[in-house]
Amino acid sequence: MGDLDESELLTVLTPPLPASPLEVVGNGDDGAVLAAPDGRYVVSTDVLVEGRHFRTDWSTPEQVGRRAAAQNLADVMGMGARPTAMVVSLVLPGSTPVAWVRGLASGLGQTCRRAGAGVVGGDLSAGDAVVIAVTVHGDLEGRPPVLRSGARPGDLLVHAGDLGSSRAGLALLSAGLDPESRPADGQARRCIERFLTPVPPLEAGPALAAAGASAMMDVSDSLLRDCGRIAAASGVLIDIDDPADDPADEARGAQDRRLAGARVALEPVAALAGETDPAAAARGWVLTGGEDHGLLATVPPGTVLPAGVSVIGRVHDPLTAPGVLVGSRPWEGPLGWDHFRA
Amino acid sequence: MGDLDESELLTVLTPPLPASPLEVVGNGDDGAVLAAPDGRYVVSTDVLVEGRHFRTDWSTPEQVGRRAAAQNLADVMGMGARPTAMVVSLVLPGSTPVAWVRGLASGLGQTCRRAGAGVVGGDLSAGDAVVIAVTVHGDLEGRPPVLRSGARPGDLLVHAGDLGSSRAGLALLSAGLDPESRPADGQARRCIERFLTPVPPLEAGPALAAAGASAMMDVSDSLLRDCGRIAAASGVLIDIDDPADDPADEARGAQDRRLAGARVALEPVAALAGETDPAAAARGWVLTGGEDHGLLATVPPGTVLPAGVSVIGRVHDPLTAPGVLVGSRPWEGPLGWDHFRA
């Protein structure tokens, strides 16, 4: 790629990228101009660094592109908005193959297209490692934004999307599985795919906002850590169902056994990854595995839940201080991913 | 800094950063919500990489922060908009001193405050080199955006801000001058300061848009390269005044001698930097030195120019093909900065 100048590189990058439905002026000037039909817009930004957020020996460039788009789109979803447009800054070493850059753009474009969002601009620089900085915008479609601070005692804690799958996929690859080796176990294969490309339930964001969610966020770090953020912002106590519960417990509704079901499904994967206590590992992955980019929300009791949304806990008065319990007991293990230390 | 976690680092970063006047929901959720009073907003993004766009042995962290903010704000200005809010993604090595991070935030905050813009969010990651990715937003205040494509034959080419100063400052530092050594020559001192912290004429953007500019952009790469972009987008021929002209030529108005004046002012600096032909070097810096982040525009004849704006050339019919002349003659030297190759 070292032979290409900036404008030649742009002819590789831009063709796979869709335009935004709200684009007034697209790429090619000092900035883009976007429409804001309801007089407001959501903005969020996320950066991915080679060797920290992805490895080029584990991920194809398409997977890296899909991941960069997905985790940013999920932040817009977490506000209850519909993603509309992103800008992408790329730092690329001169040794990056042109095919890698083309694949990255292709992955970005695929995920944006699926979400109905466009790419309206960006910047390029040379550097020693790949860095992908995305800023994404969303349209609230007339609804109030759903913040972390709106959870109220009596609300139900709900979730849509994957829990622990990405972390399980990481465990498999870290244990030496080749990402190309496609293990016979379907769940294991799915976990590796999810680690390489999270698939946020993008439709659930606007749907839960429309259904009346009181608080909402994208689960990027871990279920426990992000429940802690809602608890702190809302001044409530959140009691998460214990994934160690019996998933066949007849005393609870099917919707109430989501975390136990997730734990059970991950146990064989934990065994395959060489964990000595697969049940404990799978429980930990569900509670503290990050990067699934599922959607975490609280809803008033009686809310009709959109498809794909399950109840995973309850919101209570903060007896002494805001916080999080697991199965009504304090959690004493690690909380999960800290982006900066990682 | 390796001892701090993400939330501790945020307590260092956020206090110097102003809020945005258009902020509906600020930092602390998955995204910010900004007001778009006229139903549209401008968005632009720029990335700075340590060792490519700044050197930590040349620039203080405040200067790096001011530069990151200034070059992004200048892109919003180039559309004729008023900057309102930015998001900032930072990649920082674990070895970065906390004082450096505090200085960076302080510089960012100072320049944002001067422009009336706020910082409404961001992201942090560890990495091997400092990377600063900024996305900035602007308000068109009801005016149409000023694009690169609107220049018409008969228009005047105008400019506000520095030309060649940043490139001259780079030449001084590259020649071994210590940035702390503050040379006795006032112009040389000013060039070093401008290289370390460009000062875009932010007010000139909305002012020229309101005055009726037909095309406009921020000069980030070089006067010649960026005139070429306007010429190509507008399908015109742009004839730039030759900086080699006599700045005292009585046949031309004082406003028409801006480039010659800039060249004359840079000649002693070129000599100080060890250039064997200071006049030729200074002429080249004016035409091809990038990173000054001045404002380049075209205006219909008879336009009342805002303060600080000078005429530097003329727009003609593209006899055979769109392009750029210098003093009515073709330019055969280099065009200036290519961000990707740099």
Side-chain angles (χ1 to χ4, degrees):
Chain A
M1 197 200 66
D3 293 340
L4 303 185
D5 69 13
E6 186 168 351
S7 61
E8 288 163 338
L9 195 56
L10 286 175
T11 65
V12 171
L13 267 168
T14 49
L17 303 175
S20 167
L22 294 186
E23 191 169 303
V24 179
V25 174
N27 204 3
D29 257 275
D30 283 359
V33 181
L34 291 165
D38 88 351
R40 303 164 302 169
Y41 57 101
V42 170
V43 54
S44 183
T45 196
D46 243 353
V47 63
L48 283 83
V49 179
E50 178 183 0
R52 311 272 169 172
H53 300 91
F54 61 90
R55 284 172 50 165
T56 51
D57 56 338
W58 280 358
S59 295
T60 67
E62 287 80 5
Q63 286 168 330
V64 175
R66 287 203 295 269
R67 182 176 191 158
Q71 73 179 55
N72 274 280
L73 294 165
D75 281 324
V76 166
M77 164 189 82
M79 299 296 284
R82 194 168 297 281
T84 54
M86 57 175 63
V87 291
V88 182
S89 277
L90 286 179
V91 179
L92 297 169
S95 59
T96 311
V98 172
W100 198 92
V101 178
R102 191 177 290 119
L104 179 77
S106 165
L108 270 168
Q110 284 162 29
T111 300
C112 281
R113 200 168 277 114
R114 190 171 69 85
V119 178
V120 296
D123 191 25
L124 290 172
S125 176
D128 294 331
V130 177
V131 176
I132 308 166
V134 176
T135 301
V136 63
H137 301 83
D139 178 12
L140 288 161
E141 302 179 315
R143 293 181 298 272
V146 187
L147 309 183
R148 298 178 183 183
S149 52
R152 294 292 167 260
D155 284 353
L156 297 171
L157 183 72
V158 301
H159 183 270
D162 292 301
L163 274 168
S165 304
S166 174
R167 181 66 187 76
L170 171 61
L172 290 170
L173 294 180
S174 301
L177 240 80
D178 184 308
E180 295 300 312
S181 71
R182 305 192 51 82
D185 179 284
Q187 180 70 1
R189 212 161 54 227
R190 187 172 170 285
C191 288
I192 291 174
E193 287 168 8
R194 285 300 192 262
F195 170 70
L196 298 174
T197 307
V199 182
L202 294 173
E203 281 304 314
L208 266 166
S214 50
M216 193 152 69
M217 70 183 293
D218 152 54
V219 183
S220 60
D221 293 348
S222 86
L223 183 59
L224 268 177
R225 196 180 273 278
D226 290 335
C227 279
R229 288 173 174 144
I230 289 182
S234 299
V236 295
L237 186 70
I238 294 181
D239 188 5
I240 309 175
D241 295 343
D242 193 335
D245 288 347
D246 177 0
D249 181 357
E250 294 292 334
R252 316 181 71 173
Q255 260 198 345
D256 282 4
R257 299 188 296 240
R258 166 92 178 88
L259 296 192
R263 185 261 306 162
V264 168
L266 292 177
E267 278 185 30
V269 180
L272 195 60
E275 293 285 346
T276 49
D277 184 344
R283 177 178 179 239
W285 291 347
V286 169
L287 292 170
T288 69
E291 308 267 302
D292 282 309
H293 298 287
L295 189 67
L296 179 67
T298 59
V299 298
T303 300
V304 177
L305 297 181
V309 177
S310 307
V311 176
I312 62 164
R314 274 142 197 87
V315 181
H316 299 293
D317 263 318
L319 304 168
T320 50
V324 177
L325 302 174
V326 175
S328 305
R329 286 181 296 278
W331 174 261
E332 282 163 5
L335 289 178
W337 193 260
D338 182 313
H339 270 287
F340 191 71
R341 295 202 172 208
Chain B
M1 197 201 66
D3 294 339
L4 303 186
D5 68 14
E6 189 169 348
S7 61
E8 289 163 337
L9 195 56
L10 285 175
T11 65
V12 171
L13 267 168
T14 50
L17 303 175
S20 166
L22 294 187
E23 192 169 302
V24 179
V25 174
N27 203 3
D29 258 275
D30 283 359
V33 181
L34 292 164
D38 88 351
R40 302 164 303 167
Y41 56 102
V42 170
V43 55
S44 184
T45 196
D46 243 353
V47 63
L48 284 83
V49 179
E50 178 184 359
R52 311 271 170 174
H53 301 91
F54 61 90
R55 285 173 50 166
T56 52
D57 56 338
W58 280 358
S59 295
T60 67
E62 288 80 6
Q63 286 167 330
V64 175
R66 289 204 293 269
R67 182 175 189 158
Q71 73 179 53
N72 274 280
L73 294 166
D75 281 325
V76 166
M77 164 189 82
M79 299 295 285
R82 194 167 297 282
T84 55
M86 58 175 64
V87 291
V88 182
S89 277
L90 286 179
V91 178
L92 297 169
S95 58
T96 311
V98 172
W100 199 92
V101 179
R102 190 177 290 118
L104 179 77
S106 165
L108 270 168
Q110 285 162 28
T111 300
C112 281
R113 200 168 277 115
R114 190 170 70 83
V119 179
V120 296
D123 191 25
L124 289 172
S125 175
D128 294 331
V130 178
V131 176
I132 307 166
V134 176
T135 302
V136 62
H137 301 83
D139 178 13
L140 288 161
E141 302 178 317
R143 293 181 299 271
V146 187
L147 310 184
R148 299 178 183 181
S149 52
R152 294 291 167 261
D155 285 352
L156 297 171
L157 182 71
V158 302
H159 183 270
D162 293 301
L163 274 168
S165 303
S166 174
R167 181 64 187 77
L170 171 61
L172 290 170
L173 294 181
S174 301
L177 240 81
D178 184 307
E180 295 300 312
S181 73
R182 304 191 52 82
D185 180 283
Q187 180 70 3
R189 211 160 54 227
R190 186 172 171 286
C191 288
I192 291 175
E193 288 168 7
R194 285 300 190 263
F195 170 70
L196 298 174
T197 307
V199 182
L202 294 174
E203 280 305 315
L208 267 166
S214 49
M216 192 152 69
M217 69 182 294
D218 152 54
V219 184
S220 60
D221 292 349
S222 85
L223 183 60
L224 268 178
R225 196 180 273 277
D226 290 334
C227 279
R229 288 173 173 144
I230 289 182
S234 299
V236 295
L237 185 70
I238 293 181
D239 188 6
I240 310 176
D241 294 344
D242 192 333
D245 288 347
D246 177 1
D249 181 356
E250 293 294 333
R252 316 182 71 173
Q255 260 201 342
D256 282 4
R257 299 187 296 239
R258 165 92 177 90
L259 296 192
R263 185 260 307 163
V264 169
L266 292 177
E267 279 186 30
V269 181
L272 195 60
E275 294 285 347
T276 50
D277 185 344
R283 177 178 180 242
W285 291 347
V286 168
L287 292 170
T288 68
E291 309 268 301
D292 283 309
H293 298 287
L295 188 67
L296 180 67
T298 58
V299 299
T303 300
V304 177
L305 297 180
V309 177
S310 307
V311 176
I312 62 164
R314 273 143 198 88
V315 180
H316 299 294
D317 263 319
L319 304 168
T320 50
V324 177
L325 302 174
V326 176
S328 304
R329 286 181 296 277
W331 175 260
E332 281 163 7
L335 290 178
W337 194 257
D338 181 313
H339 270 286
F340 191 72
R341 296 204 170 205

